[in-house]
Amino acid sequence: MVYMPSLPQPQRLLLAELAGIANRYSIGEGRGLPPEVAIAAVRAITDDPVLLGIQAGVAMADPYGVSQPTVELLQAAGADMTIARQHATEVRERLERIGIASSSAGGVAEGRPGEHGDGRPDGERG
C-alpha cells in the first residue's frame, strides 16, 4: 500500500489497485504475458502519469531489488519518472526511519526477508 495521506481517497484507492495490477503483470502470475497486455491492464486502472509515477517510485524503493520489472512496466505505461525518482527517495527515507535496510550500490538490500542485515537468519546470534 502506498502511504500518501496528501492525496484524496479516490486516488489512494486507485494507487492500491494499480499496485496489485502492476505487480500481477510484472512479477506475479501474469508476468509471462505480452507487454501490450500488461500495459493495457495498467492503463485500464489509470493513465495518469503522476499516479503511475508514484507507484513506480514505490517499486524503485524496493529494498530487496525485486521490483525492477514493475518499474519498467509502469514506465512503459506512461509513468512520470521524475515523480517516480522523487517518490522513491521519500519512500526510502521512510523505510530507513523504521529500520528497513536500504538498497546497496548494486540495487539489492543487505540480506533477505527473514535475515538480519549481516545475512544471519532471524534468531541466530553471531
Side-chain angles (χ1 to χ4, degrees):
M1 179 63 111
V2 178
Y3 179 70
M4 294 290 303
S6 62
L7 289 177
Q9 185 175 10
Q11 288 180 316
R12 291 194 313 263
L13 292 172
L14 276 176
L15 282 171
E17 190 174 0
L18 180 59
I21 291 296
N23 287 336
R24 177 181 303 146
Y25 285 95
S26 61
I27 59 176
E29 70 263 8
R31 70 182 169 270
L33 294 172
E36 54 275 4
V37 172
I39 292 168
V42 166
R43 287 183 178 157
I45 304 302
T46 185
D47 61 358
D48 181 336
V50 172
L51 292 178
L52 293 168
I54 290 168
Q55 191 58 46
V58 171
M60 289 171 77
D62 167 20
Y64 301 106
V66 298
S67 296
Q68 186 58 35
T70 305
V71 174
E72 293 167 4
L73 170 58
L74 293 166
Q75 184 174 15
D80 180 326
M81 295 310 286
T82 299
I83 299 278
R85 286 184 290 278
Q86 291 169 348
H87 193 64
T89 298
E90 293 172 19
V91 171
R92 283 186 198 109
E93 289 170 358
R94 267 189 247 129
L95 291 173
E96 288 173 6
R97 278 197 304 270
I98 62 171
I100 296 176
S102 63
S103 295
S104 65
V108 179
E110 298 294 323
R112 293 186 176 95
E115 292 183 348
H116 295 280
D118 61 4
R120 292 180 292 119
D122 285 342
E124 186 177 300
R125 301 266 174 190

